[in-house]
Amino acid sequence: MLTVPAPSYRYLAEKYNIKKSTLWARHRKGQQSRSKAQRLRQSQRVLTISQEKEVITCIEDSAEWGFPLRYDMLRDLVSTIAKKRNPDFERLGKNWVRRFLSRYPHLRGKMSAGLDKQRKLASTRGIFEHYFDQELIRIITLFGIQPQYISNCDEKGICIGLVGREKVIVKRGEKHPFVPQDGNREMVTILETIVAQLRIASEVVIGFFEARENDDLLPGCGFATSLNGWTNKKIFRWWIEHHFDFYTRPADPSVHRLLILDGHNSHITIDALNYCRQNNIHILCLPAHTTHRLQPLDVGMFGPLQRAYGQAVEAWSRKGYSSITKAEFFKLYDYARKKAFTPENVSSAFAATGVFPLNKNVVLDKL
């Protein structure tokens, strides 16, 4: 009896337009049910479908707030979630981000604009109009945010022992009138927060000194340390939860809040953005190089604060006191802050930047 050889995988694949690998798998391993195959694919995924949806929400919110995630930031976020799901998880494959983006066509990788380009664009009227129409006004209107829940935060560097420039009376012809000053140029950073509608939030002092909480120095103030005396991501994450949220938290947790700040890299952490999303805190990042027109603290608060502190240092020096210690700095700064951060100045700062009352023409008419 003549035996007919079985057709090859290649022959059948070409004849029926089926992948050769599929034919081989079905023949050798047996046909799997659709549900079994789906469960196998699910078990091999780094994240579950619900976790991927959470990651997508974080990506979209970060981009909307002005902090689009870099590829490495996305990999760090996914790796953190994957390790919680599977303690034996080691690392993502090098092509994971590309495959992730291919599964969600509405997302794509795109090169971010450099600072030089942003500096050029910032001088155009369109940047300011987009900020008001597509960001500030849209967020306030969409979520019904009330003025008492609109805040602005920024950091201010203070040289402990320097006086400010003031007009003094001298004999005609004297070119350089000097006033005594301590001369201590040690820098202390203050992370200030103001809230619209005549309510001031709080401040955090950042410096080289030991971290502490002491109501005798600055009532309601938090203290933190960093290697360079400026804000870093760890401090900002602590501040957003234990300071900003504490002082501005509404009685009704469903109420939305808006926090306006500049786009400095020290503010950007996935953890901080996730905390804000979970607590209805919307972060609005100001366009690059526009803080001199759009940030209330820069426009109406830090100038009076600097002058008031300089006057306080000069008055201290005129009395013949010794060098200004950190304990004395807190007293002088508290005096200057109370003098500068008045309800009238806070209200004027938000009005001058078109935030409250909401009026973009206040800024646009000055361009």
Side-chain angles (χ1 to χ4, degrees):
M1 183 176 180
L2 188 63
T3 303
V4 178
S8 67
Y9 292 123
R10 177 178 296 176
Y11 170 78
L12 292 175
E14 292 176 352
K15 181 177 179 180
Y16 296 103
N17 194 24
I18 301 173
K19 288 184 178 180
K20 186 177 73 171
S21 59
T22 302
L23 283 174
W24 183 91
R26 295 292 176 88
H27 184 247
R28 295 290 183 180
K29 298 182 179 180
Q31 184 173 356
Q32 292 180 333
S33 65
R34 188 179 299 273
S35 59
K36 185 177 180 180
Q38 186 175 3
R39 289 195 299 271
L40 178 62
R41 288 194 299 270
Q42 180 66 25
S43 65
Q44 294 173 340
R45 296 173 69 103
V46 175
L47 303 178
T48 64
I49 294 177
S50 61
Q51 287 174 330
E52 285 199 354
K53 290 181 179 179
E54 283 293 320
V55 170
I56 291 173
T57 301
C58 182
I59 292 173
E60 293 172 343
D61 287 347
S62 299
E64 181 180 352
W65 293 347
F67 303 119
L69 300 186
R70 301 189 306 270
Y71 277 36
D72 62 306
M73 297 173 69
L74 176 59
R75 293 177 66 90
D76 290 343
L77 172 63
V78 172
S79 296
T80 301
I81 298 174
K83 288 179 182 177
K84 293 180 180 179
R85 181 191 180 202
N86 179 14
D88 296 329
F89 173 82
E90 295 183 359
R91 60 186 177 84
L92 291 175
K94 65 178 183 179
N95 295 321
W96 187 91
V97 174
R98 178 180 58 79
R99 293 196 302 268
F100 173 79
L101 295 178
S102 68
R103 291 197 294 273
Y104 301 98
H106 71 287
L107 301 175
R108 65 167 178 160
K110 188 176 181 180
M111 295 298 294
S112 60
L115 287 179
D116 289 343
K117 180 179 179 181
Q118 290 297 333
R119 184 175 292 112
K120 180 179 179 180
L121 293 175
S123 63
T124 66
R125 185 182 182 91
I127 290 293
F128 291 90
E129 290 181 337
H130 180 272
Y131 162 76
F132 280 103
D133 296 337
Q134 303 300 321
E135 298 182 7
L136 180 64
I137 297 176
R138 182 184 62 83
I139 293 174
I140 292 176
T141 304
L142 181 61
F143 297 99
I145 301 177
Q146 299 300 311
Q148 63 268 32
Y149 297 116
I150 300 176
S151 307
N152 173 222
C153 80
D154 193 21
E155 54 187 355
K156 170 67 175 175
I158 301 288
C159 287
I160 289 181
L162 298 187
V163 302
R165 293 177 60 85
E166 297 288 340
K167 183 172 289 188
V168 295
I169 302 174
V170 297
K171 292 191 300 182
R172 186 180 296 276
E174 186 170 345
K175 295 182 178 180
H176 303 290
F178 295 103
V179 294
Q181 66 179 13
D182 173 78
N184 185 349
R185 285 172 168 78
E186 180 177 352
M187 181 75 72
V188 174
T189 302
I190 312 294
L191 182 59
E192 283 284 2
T193 310
I194 56 176
V195 182
Q197 209 173 36
L198 309 183
R199 189 162 65 88
I200 300 173
S202 59
E203 78 269 36
V204 170
V205 179
I206 304 165
F208 294 99
F209 41 82
E210 181 181 358
R212 60 214 270 192
E213 292 284 350
N214 192 330
D215 288 341
D216 294 334
L217 296 176
L218 285 174
C221 174
F223 292 83
T225 60
S226 68
L227 294 177
N228 60 5
W230 292 97
T231 312
N232 56 36
K233 295 178 180 179
K234 182 178 179 181
I235 291 176
F236 184 79
R237 175 61 181 87
W238 169 83
W239 172 84
I240 198 75
E241 178 177 357
H242 299 288
H243 218 73
F244 175 78
D245 191 23
F246 176 80
Y247 280 97
T248 66
R249 184 184 303 128
D252 181 359
S254 65
V255 172
H256 290 255
R257 287 169 283 175
L258 174 62
L259 175 60
I260 302 171
L261 44 75
D262 61 35
H264 194 275
N265 186 54
S266 62
H267 302 148
I268 305 173
T269 65
I270 297 296
D271 194 24
L273 295 178
N274 281 336
Y275 182 86
C276 291
R277 286 196 306 112
Q278 294 165 5
N279 291 274
N280 291 328
I281 300 172
H282 301 268
I283 292 183
L284 176 55
C285 177
L286 295 171
H289 312 289
T290 61
T291 57
H292 62 294
R293 295 189 183 275
L294 297 179
Q295 179 148 252
L297 280 165
D298 279 347
V299 171
M301 305 305 299
F302 284 158
L305 175 65
Q306 186 69 55
R307 288 192 295 272
Y309 182 76
Q311 292 170 354
V313 172
E314 181 185 350
W316 174 270
S317 301
R318 286 180 184 271
K319 293 178 182 179
Y321 291 130
S322 58
S323 298
I324 299 176
T325 64
K326 291 188 176 67
E328 300 301 338
F329 161 76
F330 295 132
K331 296 178 182 179
L332 297 178
Y333 184 80
D334 186 40
Y335 164 82
R337 189 175 192 271
K338 289 176 180 177
K339 186 175 181 180
F341 279 46
T342 63
E344 292 76 18
N345 282 352
V346 173
S347 179
S348 298
F350 278 100
T353 51
V355 178
F356 179 72
L358 203 55
N359 181 9
K360 66 179 182 180
N361 292 326
V362 172
V363 176
L364 297 179
D365 290 345
K366 297 177 182 178
L367 298 179

